[in-house]
Amino acid sequence: MIASSAHSDPTPCSRPEFRQFDFWVGEWDVADEQGRIAGRNSITLEQNDCAIIERWASAKDGTGFSLDHFDPLSGLWKQHWVGLGLILEMSGGLQDGAMVLEGKLQYLNEAKVTLLRGTWTPLPDGRVRQHFIESADDGKTWTEWFDGYYSKTGARP
């Protein structure tokens, strides 16, 4: 049961830590390094600005959904992703102005689990770079998984 005091505070997530990932909020066109459209992403603040919800639609008709939030007990950001035949749970935090999260990536059709590290970096021109690397050997070696550039929908690169 939730204490009644939680219901009375309209801004329970107003501390600065809860705002660290707000640079990712928006309506985005996502392209790869070569400028090919990878998809669209709608990132919204919800639940009194306590949760960031991601709704991904790839250029190849796949979709995915994530819930991101700051966890004050652990002091970490957490992401829970489901979609494209994947389940991902990552955690981490802000490092040198970029959000860095890492965790287990489950490939549902292959019964395979790897480690995925994602870095979201706000760029000076208003775009956001989302860079993922993957490790199949518990972090000993890493390979490129995805490198995407977010531009506000309708904006020219």
Side-chain angles (χ1 to χ4, degrees):
M1 182 175 196
I2 297 175
S4 62
S5 64
H7 296 293
S8 64
D9 185 359
T11 58
C13 301
S14 60
R15 295 194 338 236
E17 298 90 346
F18 287 93
R19 307 282 57 90
Q20 292 173 335
F21 211 178
D22 283 4
F23 65 83
W24 192 38
V25 173
E27 300 298 319
W28 304 95
D29 293 321
V30 184
D32 65 16
E33 284 182 288
Q34 291 75 36
R36 295 180 299 246
I37 295 297
R40 289 191 164 210
N41 220 347
S42 175
I43 315 296
T44 57
L45 277 170
E46 299 187 23
Q47 299 302 312
N48 292 322
D49 297 343
C50 293
I52 296 176
I53 303 296
E54 170 187 18
R55 293 173 181 89
W56 167 256
S58 79
K60 298 177 183 174
D61 296 325
T63 62
F65 175 90
S66 78
L67 165 66
D68 296 75
H69 64 92
F70 178 73
D71 176 4
L73 291 178
S74 68
L76 297 173
W77 273 89
K78 297 187 177 184
Q79 181 178 94
H80 307 275
W81 162 273
V82 176
L84 306 172
L86 306 167
I87 294 177
L88 174 63
E89 290 192 32
M90 296 193 291
S91 62
L94 208 57
Q95 296 179 20
D96 300 320
M99 184 60 67
V100 180
L101 305 176
E102 186 175 299
K104 298 289 184 183
L105 174 64
Q106 297 179 54
Y107 290 83
L108 299 176
N109 293 334
E110 301 173 45
K112 171 178 143 182
V113 177
T114 63
L115 193 59
L116 193 72
R117 180 182 301 149
T119 304
W120 291 257
T121 307
L123 301 175
D125 62 5
R127 295 181 304 149
V128 173
R129 179 184 183 202
Q130 182 186 51
H131 184 226
F132 286 111
I133 55 176
E134 180 180 33
S135 175
D137 57 12
D138 290 320
K140 294 181 185 96
T141 60
W142 295 89
T143 57
E144 191 81 16
W145 196 79
F146 178 74
D147 196 5
Y149 292 82
Y150 284 57
S151 297
K152 293 284 185 178
T153 298
R156 296 196 166 244

